[in-house]
């Protein structure tokens, strides 16, 4: 019995490893559920199929039965990825069994068992159940199928020395795997959320001040020519006072989207603070022409708030970076912006 328990714990470790790596690699796609895109469900099914194949390799024979914990990745695939995921997992599981045993009676029996499990997933997928309840149903049904399949194919004493531990570890290990999967999924989603909040400006969707300066520093350290545009929304306080702060927020979002849509492919835009934005170009072209084009496109892109069209313009201070530090480049661009403001706004000045 000790050897049996040892192999089962190896099985559990394999499931943990594959499941953890899968959720980490798919962290940008979480949560994985039956309504996820087809590609996501297929990839999850492939990962659980890989786990099932590894479990098959690490299984052991009891009479004519091959014993392992393949039902756990099958149940995970069905609960997370639905019929599509479990179909992929089932296919890989059968391929693994065929590669080990060939076309034997046990393979045909496994084919029938997995086919019944797939039919169950098709039926349960039509019901509105919580994922935990679905997983429980798959785990119980799959274990019962295993019990019926091995009945008559193993000696009676094996039920006490092998299959009682098998059922106990299947349910205990199955729920441990599901609990771990939930914890990993929650952790990765919260990490992604906190990372996004730390680097992305929630109002505009652009990189925030911290992220913008980080990327600007990377460009500066590259040693390649680059240009900096400091962009300020004209008469923004007046807009806030006239139409309210909700209109001001909508205007900043509008400006941000306009700048991002018209930023050259080799550059990026970030919100520096308040109504001020930075645009950094890495492959420097005609700085004046690009700056003038941005001023024009902002002026000509209509902004409407609650049925009212509000004119929007920006002033730009632009400069071409030489070998000086980024702080010096920023001061020169900021001085050019001040000139643009003093000369009547809605224009670009090159410093």
């Amino acid at each position: 019995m000790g050897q049996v328990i040892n192999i089962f714990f190896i099985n559990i470790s394999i499931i943990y490893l594959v499941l953890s790596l899968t959720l980490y690699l798919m962290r940008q796609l979480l949560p994985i559920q039956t309504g996820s895109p087809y590609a996501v469900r297929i990839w999850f099914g492939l990962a659980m199929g890989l786990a099932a194949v590894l479990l098959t390799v690490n299984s052991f024979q009891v009479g004519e039965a091959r014993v392992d914990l393949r039902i756990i990745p099958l149940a995970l695939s069905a609960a997370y990825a639905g019929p599509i995921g479990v179909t992929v997992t089932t296919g890989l599981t059968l391929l693994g069994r065929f590669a080990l045993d060939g076309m034997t009676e046990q393979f045909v029996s496994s084919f029938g068992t997995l086919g019944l499990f797939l039919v169950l997933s098709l039926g349960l997928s039509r019901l509105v159940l919580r994922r935990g309840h679905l997983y429980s149903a798959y785990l119980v049904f799959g274990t019962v199928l295993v019990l019926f399949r091995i009945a008559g194919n193993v000696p009676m004493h094996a039920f006490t020395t092998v299959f009682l531990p098998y059922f106990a570890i299947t349910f205990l290990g199955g729920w441990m795997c599901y609990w771990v999967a939930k914890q990993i999924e929650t952790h990765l989603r919260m990490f992604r959320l906190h990372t996004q909040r730390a680097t992305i400006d929630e109002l505009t969707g652009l990189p925030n001040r911290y992220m913008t300066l980080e990327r600007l520093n990377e460009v500066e350290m590259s040693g390649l020519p680059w240009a900096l545009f400091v962009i300020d929304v004209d008469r923004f306080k007046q807009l806030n006072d006239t139409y309210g702060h909700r209109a001001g927020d909508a205007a900043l979002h509008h400006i941000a989207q306009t700048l991002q849509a018209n930023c050259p492919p080799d550059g990026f835009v970030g919100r520096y603070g308040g109504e001020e934005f930075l645009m950094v170009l890495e492959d420097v072209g005609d700085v004046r022409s690009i700056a003038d084009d941005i001023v024009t496109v902002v002026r000509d892109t209509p902004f409407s708030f609650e049925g009212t069209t509000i004119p929007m313009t920006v002033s730009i201070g632009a400069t071409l970076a030489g070998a000086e530090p980024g702080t010096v480049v920023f001061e020169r661009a900021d001085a050019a912006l001040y000139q643009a403001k003093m000369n009547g706004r809605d224009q670009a000045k090159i410093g």
Side-chain angles (χ1 to χ4, degrees):
M1 183 179 292
Q3 182 182 6
V4 172
I5 295 176
N6 182 56
I7 291 176
F8 283 158
F9 274 110
I10 293 174
N11 278 198
I12 292 293
S13 299
I14 290 172
I15 299 170
Y16 279 168
L17 176 62
V18 175
L19 185 60
S20 301
L21 287 175
T22 300
L23 292 175
Y24 177 77
L25 293 174
M26 302 179 75
R27 61 191 181 279
Q28 300 299 329
L29 305 173
L30 298 177
I32 300 169
Q33 50 196 1
T34 55
S36 295
Y38 286 111
V40 173
R41 287 179 277 169
I42 289 172
W43 278 112
F44 191 83
L46 286 171
M48 292 301 99
L50 173 62
V53 171
L54 292 174
L55 295 179
T56 304
V57 173
N58 286 276
S59 62
F60 61 93
Q61 290 286 142
V62 179
E64 297 181 355
R66 186 180 288 276
V67 182
D68 54 49
L69 298 180
R70 278 170 290 171
I71 190 60
I72 294 178
L74 282 164
L76 287 168
S77 186
Y80 275 82
I84 291 177
V86 79
T87 299
V88 176
T89 304
T90 298
L92 282 182
T93 302
L94 289 172
L95 285 175
R97 183 63 185 267
F98 181 78
L100 285 176
D101 300 331
M103 185 60 72
T104 62
E105 182 179 342
Q106 287 71 37
F107 174 79
V108 175
S109 177
S110 292
F111 188 89
T113 302
L114 292 173
L116 287 173
F117 190 89
L118 179 58
V119 171
L120 171 72
S121 71
L122 290 170
L124 289 181
S125 66
R126 300 177 181 275
L127 303 178
V128 182
L129 295 175
R130 303 177 79 175
R131 190 169 64 186
H133 295 162
L134 276 174
Y135 180 74
S136 298
Y138 290 128
L139 202 60
V140 170
F141 187 79
T143 306
V144 171
L145 283 178
V146 171
L147 176 62
F148 276 104
R149 186 168 67 83
I150 57 114
N153 294 326
V154 297
M156 186 59 63
H157 69 82
F159 279 96
T160 56
T161 59
V162 176
F163 289 102
L164 286 181
Y166 166 79
F167 292 124
I169 294 178
T170 295
F171 287 109
L172 177 61
W175 271 105
M176 287 176 63
C177 288
Y178 181 72
W179 181 82
V180 167
K182 285 183 63 178
Q183 297 304 310
I184 293 174
E185 188 179 30
T186 301
H187 171 76
L188 290 174
R189 290 176 66 186
M190 292 303 296
F191 179 78
R192 184 179 65 187
L193 177 63
H194 290 317
T195 300
Q196 182 176 6
R197 286 181 173 176
T199 58
I200 301 297
D201 178 62
E202 292 187 10
L203 177 61
T204 63
L206 297 177
N208 62 12
R209 182 190 184 106
Y210 168 78
M211 190 62 173
T212 299
L213 293 178
E214 280 288 308
R215 294 185 63 179
L216 190 152
N217 184 62
E218 291 174 4
V219 172
E220 179 188 355
M221 296 297 291
S222 70
L224 299 175
W226 59 285
L228 174 65
F229 296 0
V230 180
I231 306 168
D232 191 80
V233 180
D234 293 331
R235 299 182 176 87
F236 182 71
K237 183 178 185 304
Q238 180 181 336
L239 185 151
N240 261 337
D241 294 342
T242 304
Y243 299 99
H245 288 285
R246 288 198 308 115
D249 290 346
L252 289 176
H253 184 268
H254 165 79
I255 293 291
Q257 298 306 305
T258 303
L259 294 175
Q260 191 170 42
N262 291 277
C263 179
D266 53 353
F268 67 88
V269 183
R271 187 182 181 191
Y272 186 67
E275 65 269 27
E276 196 166 78
F277 300 86
L278 299 185
M279 180 182 291
V280 178
L281 303 184
E282 299 181 56
D283 185 11
V284 180
D286 187 342
V287 174
R288 174 166 291 282
S289 176
I290 295 172
D292 288 340
D293 287 345
I294 293 171
V295 170
T296 301
V297 76
V298 170
R299 183 195 311 127
D300 294 342
T301 302
F303 167 62
S304 296
F305 179 74
E306 296 182 349
T308 302
T309 300
I310 305 173
M312 298 292 301
T313 62
V314 295
S315 299
I316 299 178
T319 188
L320 187 62
E324 64 269 80
T327 52
V328 175
V329 177
F330 183 87
E331 289 174 0
R332 192 163 62 239
D334 200 44
L337 172 65
Y338 180 78
Q339 290 181 3
K341 289 284 190 182
M342 293 298 99
N343 287 355
R345 301 182 176 86
D346 189 23
Q347 58 186 283
K349 289 291 184 182
I350 311 299

